[in-house]
Amino acid sequence: VENQLSMMGRHEKNILGSDVKVKLGTVLHGAYVDSLPSTEGLQHGRDATVAVRASQHLGNKYCYRLGIDDMNCATQISKFSLNPTSLGAKCAAHHRQAVFCSELAKFRSLDGSCNHPHHPAWGQSLTAYKRLLPPHYDDGFQSPRGSRMNRELPNARLISTTLSKNRDSPDSSVTLATLQWGQFVAQDLSHTAVSKMCEYLCTDGTKLLVLLTF
């Protein structure tokens, strides 16, 4: 797993050295800046990559050899504790982080902490979401869910544009605040840090070195 992370780092350096550039102010430039993960978020993403790769290794080594299907294999592996591993300390340390909440604070915190008086870490950034249902990955670990016919499901964007046509339909019962709230929720769920290049470098003021996220 560590070799794979090192390989990702080498790919990043190769791309940086290939002189690929993107213009400032373009959609690609905006997408990169908007999705740039923090250093702490990047580390959590790399730790998660290690955990997923280790789980897949266990599945390939034991489950498939014994004829255990993907879902049952993932369910059993998810019961293993990370405490005895190198990731255990990182997970435990993160969950043990002390959260100080001031009763005199006039506004809610930017990172979501202290929004619940009895559980100050609930909803805080860089904490795990609570699942309402068990995961259903196609390979049991991380692949997007497929159909019952072992095929890819239809593109989510295609379904959205097919069912919700782009029509001008004013609604007097809601305001633009509804739209903005939807954006907050959507981006909170979708902005997951995995990897990033080093800090971006401006060249001649009109172009930006491409920094891709994996």
Side-chain angles (χ1 to χ4, degrees):
V1 175
E2 294 297 335
N3 289 337
Q4 290 182 337
L5 293 178
S6 298
M7 182 176 64
M8 290 170 59
R10 291 195 298 271
H11 286 328
E12 292 175 348
K13 291 181 180 179
N14 290 337
I15 294 174
L16 285 171
S18 64
D19 199 35
V20 179
K21 299 174 182 177
V22 62
K23 290 184 179 180
L24 289 170
T26 62
V27 174
L28 181 58
H29 171 219
Y32 166 71
V33 174
D34 190 46
S35 62
L36 184 66
S38 65
T39 301
E40 188 178 3
L42 174 62
Q43 185 57 52
H44 279 286
R46 290 187 179 273
D47 291 342
T49 299
V50 173
V52 170
R53 293 292 186 268
S55 298
Q56 291 174 322
H57 172 72
L58 291 175
N60 292 328
K61 187 174 182 179
Y62 298 105
C63 296
Y64 306 143
R65 187 179 63 185
L66 299 174
I68 302 175
D69 63 77
D70 293 338
M71 294 305 299
N72 285 327
C73 178
T75 299
Q76 295 304 318
I77 290 178
S78 67
K79 297 177 182 178
F80 293 170
S81 174
L82 291 176
N83 290 335
T85 71
S86 60
L87 289 177
K90 297 178 181 179
C91 293
H94 183 68
H95 288 296
R96 285 198 300 266
Q97 281 184 339
V99 178
F100 173 75
C101 302
S102 173
E103 296 181 354
L104 302 178
K106 295 177 60 177
F107 307 102
R108 296 194 177 206
S109 61
L110 291 175
D111 66 354
S113 61
C114 301
N115 286 343
H116 193 294
H118 304 299
H119 303 279
W122 281 11
Q124 186 179 7
S125 61
L126 297 177
T127 57
Y129 290 112
K130 182 176 179 60
R131 290 188 179 276
L132 300 179
L133 295 172
H136 195 120
Y137 297 110
D138 199 48
D139 64 349
F141 299 102
Q142 67 171 355
S143 297
R145 182 178 177 180
S147 71
R148 295 182 179 180
M149 304 298 292
N150 293 324
R151 299 174 182 173
E152 291 185 0
L153 292 175
N155 181 277
R157 179 62 179 172
L158 175 61
I159 295 176
S160 175
T161 55
T162 301
L163 297 179
S164 301
K165 300 297 183 181
N166 186 15
R167 299 190 182 96
D168 183 13
S169 302
D171 192 324
S172 60
S173 63
V174 295
T175 68
L176 284 177
T178 304
L179 165 67
Q180 296 301 331
W181 176 250
Q183 287 293 308
F184 281 132
V185 174
Q187 295 189 22
D188 185 44
L189 293 173
S190 62
H191 280 199
T192 303
V194 178
S195 182
K196 72 172 183 180
M197 299 289 190
C198 59
E199 295 301 323
Y200 54 81
L201 304 173
C202 292
T203 54
D204 57 2
T206 60
K207 294 184 178 180
L208 186 73
L209 199 61
V210 172
L211 304 173
L212 303 180
T213 55
F214 289 89

